[in-house]
Amino acid sequence: MNEPLISDISRPGRKGYSLHSSDLIGTPHSQLIPAKFLRKEPAALPEVPESEVVRHFIRLSSLNYHVDKDMYPLGSCTMKYNPKINDETSSLEGFAALHPMQPESTAQGALQLMHELSGMLGEITGMAAITLQPAAGAHGELAGILLIKKYHEAQKSRRSTLLVVDSAHGTNPASAALAGYTIVSVKSNEIGRTDLNDLKEKLNGDVAALMLTNPNTIGLFEKEIVAIADMVHNNGSLLYMDGANMNALLGITRPGDMGFDVVHLNLHKTFSAPHGGGGPGSGPVGVSEKLIPYLPVPVIEKMESTKGTHYHLTSDCPDSIGRMMNFHGNFAVLVRAYTYIRMLGAEGLRRVSENAIINANYLLSRLDKAYSLPYPKPVLHEFCLSGDLQKKSHGVRTLDIAKRLLDYGFHAPTIYFPLIVSEALMIEPTETESRETLDRFADAMLQIAKEAEESPENLLAAPQTTPVRRLDEAMASRQLNICCR
Ligand SMILES: *Cc1c(COP(=O)(O)O)cnc(C)c1O
């Protein structure tokens, strides 16, 4: 953490490059901008040669942890390796230099890409139509719930409750509340699935929909999904799928075939756009036939005529919920997802999920003797362990285990989520990790379990090897200057 600020390494007169004055094209700014808006003094920009700029940022990037550095087993977040070709295609000038307000006739390639991506996501999910507008998973949830609301309004049916299973991601009840619903929690049973008796009890004429994650946040498939869909539909309610865990299902099974009416995807998880640093995401929403009239506008239509194919944006949808985003969503993420799907093809996508499942079960089989396993194996693409054993016998918490992992060079798993598992450690290796990497991670976890027994103080004092030591987490997320100088 001794890296100085770039303004501190600035020295007057040092330059990255210089332009010969004859290279400057066009009218000088001083003639274009009214004098009152012009600076009196030159901007105090750092003056640093290119070599030092590059080294400065490379050093900073290595202080941080990222998927290009090593395994990132953050459960529920699908931190897979993001192929570099995605960045290559999304920065092609024809995509990157488009202006969202330029005439439709000059953006046909972009519209075609979005139209085709919607088609591919529709095929992957088994849904009748897809909107690409929402900016992230949670935003997709909000869009999906607004669609559900509009549907019931059109049926003249007044319903004010949404059911959410107790293992759900926190965004589910938050999105439901934002859309104005009252949330009722449905219990999980002893095998980590939705408790059908509890669901039956809570289904009544006021329930607009049930929100379900499949596979759920413990990495377990809802085996009774067809029965659940029937119960919900017989009640006149709709079924919403949180599709953040789609990495387990690609080419194997589809939400549409399970009876879901709405599903959101996280392109930045399953379809490999970089995320985790607050960068742009994308949360497309797929719907069944009966919700199509309510989709956000504009909708992309493919028109065939004697002059050829033309893609057209229409907002002529009187029942639409309106816009969810300015313009068309996070387009560069759509290009990345499109590239990813085209690179893999249908067979490749299925192998993604098969390998994600194999990797999770392999890792689990190496760890389930050292840590307690709250729900029986096998799992799909991720699993949840509990640090209960270590807490009861040795007085170390899951937080200490997670912090110690940083000393072994790994990002920590998701901890204390889902809420139904005490001292939860939620691990998702993803398909992009090799057997050797999984073994290195398993060895570190086993070593930590041994340390918990023999030298718990190592865990309590962790991390020791990171740029900063253990932080007051509440403070660190509010006061971003964590530099220890
Ligand atoms: C990530 C995630 C979400 C929220 O998605 P964002 O893209 O982060 O808004 C919702 N549900 C589950 C299960 C998730 O893992």
Side-chain angles (χ1 to χ4, degrees):
M1 286 299 280
N2 289 328
E3 187 63 24
L5 298 175
I6 190 137
S7 51
D8 292 345
I9 54 178
S10 168
R11 294 290 176 274
R14 291 196 184 157
K15 285 185 181 156
Y17 60 91
S18 47
L19 291 175
H20 194 269
S21 60
S22 67
D23 292 341
L24 296 171
I25 317 156
T27 321
H29 286 153
S30 56
Q31 285 173 34
L32 290 170
I33 301 171
K36 63 175 173 179
F37 296 128
L38 287 175
R39 287 180 192 283
K40 306 286 174 289
E41 303 284 328
L45 298 176
E47 298 179 66
V48 189
E50 179 177 317
S51 55
E52 284 183 30
V53 173
V54 170
R55 287 177 183 168
H56 172 70
F57 285 107
I58 290 287
R59 283 193 297 262
L60 283 180
S61 76
S62 68
L63 290 178
N64 213 343
Y65 198 93
H66 43 86
V67 277
D68 285 347
K69 206 164 175 178
D70 211 336
M71 182 178 167
Y72 204 133
L74 201 60
S76 209
C77 296
T78 312
M79 305 302 287
K80 62 172 72 179
Y81 173 74
N82 307 129
K84 295 293 169 257
I85 191 169
N86 297 351
D87 299 327
E88 195 93 355
T89 53
S90 67
S91 52
L92 286 173
E93 204 189 351
F95 291 137
L98 274 181
H99 191 281
M101 288 177 80
Q102 71 188 60
E104 180 178 292
S105 64
T106 66
Q108 286 293 301
L111 296 178
Q112 179 178 355
L113 180 139
M114 291 197 283
H115 192 271
E116 288 181 9
L117 178 61
S118 297
M120 296 189 297
L121 296 176
E123 200 176 324
I124 289 167
T125 55
M127 304 308 285
I130 301 272
T131 172
L132 299 173
Q133 261 186 42
H139 198 212
E141 291 169 25
L142 180 63
I145 296 167
L146 292 175
L147 291 166
I148 290 170
K149 198 172 190 181
K150 197 88 187 197
Y151 168 81
H152 285 300
E153 279 167 14
Q155 314 295 307
K156 305 269 183 287
S157 162
R158 291 168 62 91
R159 294 171 182 248
S160 61
T161 307
L162 274 192
L163 301 183
V164 180
V165 183
D166 59 7
S167 58
H169 194 271
T171 50
N172 289 192
S175 305
L178 201 58
Y181 282 100
T182 304
I183 294 104
V184 172
S185 178
V186 176
K187 286 195 198 105
S188 303
N189 61 20
E190 63 294 340
I191 53 163
R193 271 80 170 190
T194 306
D195 184 329
L196 294 204
N197 291 325
D198 196 48
L199 175 60
K200 200 177 292 169
E201 226 161 82
K202 286 167 181 166
L203 271 175
N204 58 43
D206 195 48
V207 173
L210 166 67
M211 294 182 88
L212 213 66
T213 312
N214 200 19
N216 66 21
T217 57
I218 317 164
L220 301 171
F221 191 77
E222 290 283 356
K223 296 181 200 174
E224 301 292 342
I225 187 60
V226 175
I228 292 173
D230 285 345
M231 284 168 70
V232 169
H233 290 142
N234 289 338
N235 189 55
S237 315
L238 298 182
L239 190 57
Y240 182 102
M241 176 160 137
D242 177 337
N245 291 340
M246 202 61 203
N247 215 44
L249 306 181
L250 300 173
I252 300 174
T253 184
R254 311 192 303 171
D257 301 337
M258 297 175 214
F260 284 97
D261 300 289
V262 191
V263 56
H264 85 255
L265 300 170
N266 303 59
L267 297 188
H268 44 291
K269 294 179 181 172
T270 316
F271 298 96
S272 85
H275 66 295
S282 177
V285 173
V287 296
S288 58
E289 207 75 48
K290 57 179 175 283
L291 293 172
I292 292 179
Y294 314 116
L295 284 174
V297 285
V299 170
I300 303 168
E301 289 174 337
K302 184 178 181 181
M303 327 275 274
E304 305 280 3
S305 75
T306 46
K307 280 185 265 165
T309 308
H310 177 80
Y311 294 88
H312 173 61
L313 288 166
T314 179
S315 294
D316 186 18
C317 309
D319 295 325
S320 164
I321 59 168
R323 279 183 171 275
M324 287 303 292
M325 275 290 269
N326 44 355
F327 306 118
H328 311 294
N330 287 325
F331 179 67
V333 182
L334 306 181
V335 180
R336 288 184 173 90
Y338 179 89
T339 308
Y340 182 72
I341 294 171
R342 292 293 303 269
M343 289 295 294
L344 284 162
E347 270 306 305
L349 286 177
R350 188 185 165 103
R351 287 216 307 279
V352 162
S353 288
E354 287 171 349
N355 285 312
I357 294 168
I358 291 168
N359 276 2
N361 282 284
Y362 174 71
L363 198 52
L364 176 56
S365 74
R366 288 214 49 200
L367 297 179
D368 63 354
K369 281 164 263 330
Y371 295 89
S372 44
L373 180 66
Y375 299 105
K377 298 191 282 192
V379 293
L380 290 190
H381 69 305
E382 65 186 352
F383 58 88
C384 193
L385 299 171
S386 164
D388 266 351
L389 204 65
Q390 283 70 22
K391 189 177 181 183
K392 285 197 193 97
S393 324
H394 319 300
V396 298
R397 294 174 304 152
T398 278
L399 180 71
D400 305 314
I401 295 168
K403 295 293 182 192
R404 188 62 175 151
L405 257 178
L406 308 184
D407 283 335
Y408 285 87
F410 289 100
H411 195 282
T414 297
I415 55 174
Y416 299 103
F417 172 79
L419 304 178
I420 57 170
V421 175
S422 65
E423 297 296 315
L425 279 153
M426 238 257 288
I427 300 175
E428 178 181 8
T430 84
E431 73 284 0
T432 57
E433 301 310 329
S434 66
R435 163 96 191 255
E436 292 73 25
T437 304
L438 297 176
D439 280 333
R440 258 190 318 114
F441 178 76
D443 292 344
M445 286 291 288
L446 296 176
Q447 186 62 31
I448 291 170
K450 203 160 154 229
E451 279 187 295
E453 224 175 296
E454 295 168 0
S455 44
E457 64 282 2
N458 289 358
L459 274 65
L460 297 171
Q464 295 285 342
T465 60
T466 46
V468 290
R469 304 281 170 272
R470 198 175 295 204
L471 299 169
D472 173 335
E473 308 210 334
M475 180 73 95
S477 69
R478 283 161 185 76
Q479 197 175 303
L480 295 181
N481 182 8
I482 53 171
C483 198
C484 51
R485 288 185 298 157

